[in-house]
Amino acid sequence: MHGSLAGLKPRWVLFTCIASAACASRAPVPARAVFPMATNWTVSVGEDPIGGPLASDGGRVFVATQGGRVSGLDRFTGKTLWQVAGRPGALAFGGKLLALREADGTVWCMDPGDGSARWKAESGVAGTLPPVVTAERIVIAGEGLAVLDAATGRVVWSAADARAATAPALTATSVVLGEADGHVRARDLATGRLLWSHATARALLAPPVADDRGRLLVGTTDRRFLSLDGSKGDVRWTWRLGGDVQHAAALFERLVLFATHEDVLYALDRGNGNLAWRAALPSRPLSGPVLFGDAVLVACHGARPGETFLIGFEARTGERQGDFKVPGEARTPPLLVEDRVYIGMRDRAHSVVSLHLGAAEAPAP
């Protein structure tokens, strides 16, 4: 399928957008109120800027600073539950494991309850991309690619020739990586054996997203959005765009949703690539779409320096639901946990803000 948006001119007004990929569900998703939205709490996490994305285990929010301080915050009150120093890097949570990857390839597995180290290992892979964490494996991508055993930190396999352009995507049997030479490559999750390679015109910026039917959804930097067969890498369909895709897509029911740098939010049918709807964004997206029930949020730049807005749309139709001005400029992609959004801010206090969705006023701690 092909489409052209050369004539689309989004309105430049103050509004919003928010980020991350979510799993599709076969059952209907219930409606949930997004607006009004209110600030729940704001907490400073130290003297250094926040580095990398936030993470959460459902009860706590984890944040790392560029100076190496890692904090665990109570996600309901913002209270600091624990802090550890000397661990500069990018965090991720998955499979009940909290992992941090340092730029030199050192990997820490930490106890989410108190921040203590369960193990420390050398992956041999330098870089700054966050790890991808499951209950059994931790994947580190950068100047190479390594899969570690989650229980011990042992390197299961590594590919020294890989040069990551994006974070990896995991399927049940493979690791899929957008690489600096413009190829998307899939390797066997158990052995690292190369399964297939697909060439794009330029290196990706947005990581591929895998759905529950073995399909890969890939936004490119050559103004295309692709669906690839996850087992072979063959192109299933292509949709032509007016701008590049620089942030991860999200999956909702039969749709794939993604934002482009033509300031448009798209929803395409994952099965055949047909356009379900598209909606203009007020400005450049800061991250990919985030799903909340049957709504989708996107974080966008404001009209003035230092502004960030969140905009909400109905995920099935693209109808705009509302907007919210974040109290400052976002440094991290928004993290959604149930009915709260958490954002690391670019401010002098180096703070994390909690926003309550569907609340007329902030609830008492």
Side-chain angles (χ1 to χ4, degrees), residues 77-327:
T77 67
K79 179 182 177 181
T80 300
L81 302 175
W82 55 260
Q83 287 187 328
V84 295
R87 298 178 191 173
L91 288 167
F93 182 87
K96 299 183 180 180
L97 301 174
L98 178 63
L100 180 140
R101 178 264 183 88
E102 296 190 23
D104 66 358
T106 302
V107 180
W108 297 82
C109 182
M110 297 183 289
D111 187 323
D114 59 14
S116 61
R118 293 180 175 175
W119 52 256
K120 177 184 177 183
E122 301 301 326
S123 69
V125 178
T128 59
L129 292 169
V132 174
V133 184
T134 72
E136 297 181 349
R137 296 288 184 260
I138 297 177
V139 183
I140 306 296
E143 297 300 308
L145 178 66
V147 172
L148 279 59
D149 180 81
T152 65
R154 176 181 62 89
V155 176
V156 177
W157 60 263
S158 63
D161 58 337
R163 294 294 181 267
T166 72
L170 300 188
T171 72
T173 59
S174 65
V175 180
V176 183
L177 186 66
E179 301 195 27
D181 64 357
H183 284 73
V184 180
R185 292 187 174 91
R187 293 174 174 86
D188 187 280
L189 179 59
T191 66
R193 178 175 62 89
L194 182 65
L195 301 175
W196 54 260
S197 177
H198 174 82
T200 60
R202 293 187 296 273
L204 304 182
L205 292 174
V209 175
D211 73 5
D212 59 357
R213 296 190 178 184
R215 301 175 292 205
L216 291 169
L217 293 310
V218 182
T220 74
T221 54
D222 57 9
R223 300 187 177 187
R224 293 181 302 149
F225 197 91
L226 313 173
S227 175
L228 302 179
D229 183 319
S231 63
K232 300 178 181 179
D234 296 337
V235 177
R236 299 180 59 254
W237 53 257
T238 299
W239 183 271
R240 301 193 185 281
L241 304 167
D244 295 341
V245 180
Q246 300 192 11
H247 306 289
L251 307 181
F252 175 80
E253 297 180 351
R254 75 181 197 285
L255 304 177
V256 56
L257 288 75
F258 58 94
T260 70
H261 270 227
E262 60 186 323
D263 309 336
V264 176
L265 178 64
Y266 284 90
L268 303 181
D269 187 300
R270 299 204 310 271
N272 55 28
N274 287 343
L275 178 69
W277 56 263
R278 66 188 179 196
L281 300 173
S283 59
R284 293 289 172 88
L286 288 167
S287 57
V290 175
L291 295 172
F292 177 67
D294 60 356
V296 57
L297 296 168
V298 186
C300 293
H301 294 280
R304 299 182 178 89
E307 288 184 334
T308 300
F309 281 81
L310 300 180
I311 289 187
F313 299 88
E314 210 287 330
R316 293 187 182 91
T317 65
E319 180 181 358
R320 192 169 70 81
Q321 294 185 335
D323 58 81
F324 179 81
K325 182 178 179 181
V326 177

Side-chain angles (χ1 to χ4, degrees), residues 348-359:
R348 292 182 179 180
H350 312 305
S351 57
V352 176
V353 63
S354 168
L355 306 175
H356 189 192
L357 305 183

